[in-house]
Amino acid sequence: MSGPTPTPTPLPPPPAARPARYDFLNSKPPPNYVAGLGRGATGFTTRSDIGPARAAPDLPDRSASAAAAPAVGRGRGKPPGEDDGDDDGGDEEKGYDENQKFDEFEGNDAGLFSNADYDDDDREADAVWESIDQRMDSRRKDRREARLKQEIEKYRASNPKITEQFADLKRKLADLSAQVWESIPEIGDYSLRNKKKRFESFVPVPDTLLEKARQEQEHVTALDPKSRTAGGTETPWAQTPVTDLTAVGEGRGTVLSLKLDRLSDSVSGLTVVDPKGYLTDLKSMKITSDAEISDIKKARLLLKSVTQTNPKHPPGWIAAARLEEIAGKLQAARQLIQRGCEECPKNEDVWLEACRLASPDEAKAVIARGVMSIPNSVKLWLQAAKLETSDLNRSRVLRKGLEHIPDSVRLWKAVVELANEEDARLLLHRAVECCPLHIELWLALARLETYDQARKVLNKAREKLPKEPAIWITAAKLEEANGNTQSVSKVIERCIRSLQREGMDIDREAWLKEAEAAERAGSVLTCQAIVKNTIGIGVDDEDRKRTWVADAEECKKRGSIETARAIYAHALTVFLTKKGIWLKAAQLEKSHGTRESLDALLKKAVNYNPRAEVLWLMAAKEKWLAGDVPAARAILQEAYAAIPNSEEIWLAAFKLEFENNEPERARMLLSKARERGGTERVWMKSAIVERELGNVNEERRLLEEGLKLFPSFFKLWLMLGQMEDRLGHGAKAKEVYENGLKRCPSCIPLWLSLASLEEKISGLSKSRAVLTMARKKNPATPELWLAAIRAELRHANKKEADSLLAKALQECPTSGILWAASIEMAPRPQRKGKSSDAIKRCDHDPHVIATVSKLFWLERKVDKARTWLNRAVTLAPDIGDFWALYYKFELQHGNTDTQKDVLKRCVAAEPKHGEKWQAISKAVENSHLSVEALLKKAVVALDADETLNAVGA
């Protein structure tokens, strides 16, 4: 709607007589008549048709009312009588007002309707259009707000604020320690560099200043009358004002030098210089400030008030004496504490303080007066013994004290420690009479006595202390030490019963700790007896197995092997048929026991669990490792008799014969196993034996028959394909692999073998097609991606290899072997960054860790490389390639001990996997080699690969 239409002038009333139907065609139209306006058939006028918007002049035929009162509507017309303030009448000449306000809705066209009326129709039309606008606006509101929000976010992302750019760094500031924050250097003010140095002038020092400094540094060596009256023990502060701290420090040094010069008559470090001489007490210069002097004076007044108002209060005298000591007035301190001893003669703390402050010669006299005043004070007698220089005099003092205090355990212990063995025994006899309730004295006496006397002593101790378990445990240790093994268990049993009769609570955990303590003391039988009699106390029947196994493992971690062995032994008496406990006990014996103890345990285990395959196999293996092959055969025969249809025992017997170069025996065993319906593993082992013996036709027959019985066992397909490839029958090998993949489409080794064969026969393009098909059927498989990457690298397609590696990492972002390949393929400056990314993605992957160790190795960071290689073999001890890398590193940078350690750990781990390790260990010529020999061959293979890579580079 372009604007409101002008309202036409009302028509005159019709004549009374109705004219002819078409007479109006000949009559004059009324003013402002527009044909077709009533039925809406009107044209439109554009701005270009009428020119600039001007106010239309008043029409001559306008009605009087309209001319008299022009309406003011949306055209912004002026009411009559309103003056615009312009005297020149320029607006009238132009036909419009230049100062009128611009209309946002109609623009400058508002002048067209400046004189139009704004009636109800216009108001209603505007209301309708406004409701339409609101309706349309509400429909687009959500979309508009979303678009606006998106534009704002896009703008903020492209134009971030400084605070937003460093927001993550600010958050990390919360983790900074105080030390790191303090170590951040200050920015400093570098503007001073460009400033000109000010002119500095130097003037001579006045003579008065030099004279004052000389006077301050002088040292007076004569006493003034005031100091002489004080006896030379105090320094008059009024005469020597301390104004220069440097002078005070130099004065102290001079005092020290004078003291050292005069100590020429020192005897055993004790000065004999006259204590009343001037400048002989170093503490005379200790107070250096007026504040300290004021504080000491206040404290002195306060403590003086305390001692005067309450002279019988010992802490007041002690505090006053220590204050004088701090102030450097040792003589005054001694005098105060002496008065304290006189006022409080029955307080041992005052006498001890007096002894401390007294000189070495006077200390004995002071402590003597103290023990005379308080003869029952243990502290004073012990202090008196400390002041003596010889053990004989100390012993005399302590015995004198025991005459006054016969029930003091501390005095008895001190005097026994100073005596020899015979005197100690006599003293302890007297001690236990005086202190019958102290167990340490009883136990010490029992240790010094003979066997018979010790038993009597312990019996007396049990009578005096019936609730003390340590006496019973000591009695059990005594019986064990004297060879009475049968009595040990009886003593502990009687102990438990006696304590329970006395109402004592038997704490199982505490008794286990006692058992561990007995083990550490070498009393193994006592340890076993304690475990046997206390391990089941307070444990429910259904929780016994779990609790006892947990106790044994905890003791094993703490190094208490005998305690753990005793727990397992007791558990096996209760749970004879529990295979898990027998295995854990066997593992304990294997790691901490002897071969004999392990054999005995396993023999008992198979007797009580004849259907447990793992126990039979473990027993046979231990005999085999000990070199006793006939005994191992006998054990396996017994196992076969107990479990006739056990495939594991058949295969163990085969391995025993095969590894000991008895192929005919192995073949016979496998033939019997096949006849009795052996599984696919039996057929595979049979083919391995024939391959070892070189019987190609028999090997092919066994593999083909096995595949008829077990078509989905991929190892048989692999062995058949490898055999054909080894014989040079490439087409047959390809056919075997393809048939195998039809049955086992998800077998990655079959795909890799087929791709390798195609690369050897038909070239890279065919191999690439095979690997692509394999990746489609087995997505997210890192081994297939790695094979494709290596194939491209072998043909010098570095760009294609990089592209494949990028795709592989997108599909398998946490694959360790792919990240390891990425690190090795990266240029040397970028390897560090690649290593950081790999560790973030797969921190505990052994392939990444081994590759990072190679980088440290190349950079000659030997310690770091050794640490990372050790971490790799710890995470994956079953991968032989890492052991070979570790051993090679030690051969270059280690010593004999580290090399032996790596070799020993590798033999114990018995690795079975690894790309190079499997290729070496499964070769026909290496089938009977030991782990040590295989490790050395793997090291040689690594050297060959490095040489080849160096030539290719």
Side-chain angles (χ1 to χ4, degrees), residues 2 47 53 74-76 100-112:
S2 60
R47 185 173 175 179
R74 292 177 64 121
R76 304 294 191 269
Q100 68 181 2
K101 186 176 180 181
F102 178 78
D103 189 87
E104 297 179 357
F105 180 73
E106 296 175 295
N108 286 332
D109 291 344
L112 292 173

Side-chain angles (χ1 to χ4, degrees), residues 235-364:
T235 301
W237 291 90
Q239 292 184 5
T240 311
V242 182
T243 57
D244 188 1
L245 296 179
T246 305
V248 171
E250 293 179 357
R252 282 185 173 183
T254 306
V255 170
L256 179 60
S257 63
L258 290 173
K259 180 178 179 65
L260 294 176
D261 291 340
R262 297 183 62 184
L263 284 181
S264 58
D265 55 348
S266 176
V267 180
S268 68
L270 301 175
T271 179
V272 294
V273 180
D274 180 12
K276 295 184 179 181
Y278 184 65
L279 296 180
T280 57
D281 192 357
L282 284 177
K283 296 181 181 179
S284 63
M285 295 290 291
K286 188 168 184 178
I287 303 171
T288 57
S289 67
D290 295 338
E292 292 182 10
I293 298 169
S294 175
D295 292 342
I296 289 178
K297 287 181 178 179
K298 292 178 182 178
R300 186 181 287 123
L301 289 174
L302 180 61
L303 291 174
K304 184 178 180 181
S305 174
V306 171
T307 55
Q308 286 179 354
T309 56
N310 189 6
K312 301 298 182 182
H313 185 59
W317 294 106
I318 296 173
R322 290 185 180 178
L323 176 67
E324 298 300 335
E325 181 188 11
I326 292 172
K329 299 180 179 181
L330 187 57
Q331 190 63 29
R334 290 171 181 170
Q335 293 173 1
L336 280 172
I337 202 63
Q338 184 62 33
R339 289 179 57 194
C341 292
E342 295 172 359
E343 295 289 345
C344 309
K346 298 300 182 181
N347 186 270
E348 60 184 11
D349 293 332
V350 176
W351 288 106
L352 290 173
E353 186 69 14
C355 180
R356 187 183 68 83
L357 292 174
S359 62
D361 293 335
E362 297 177 355
K364 290 183 180 180

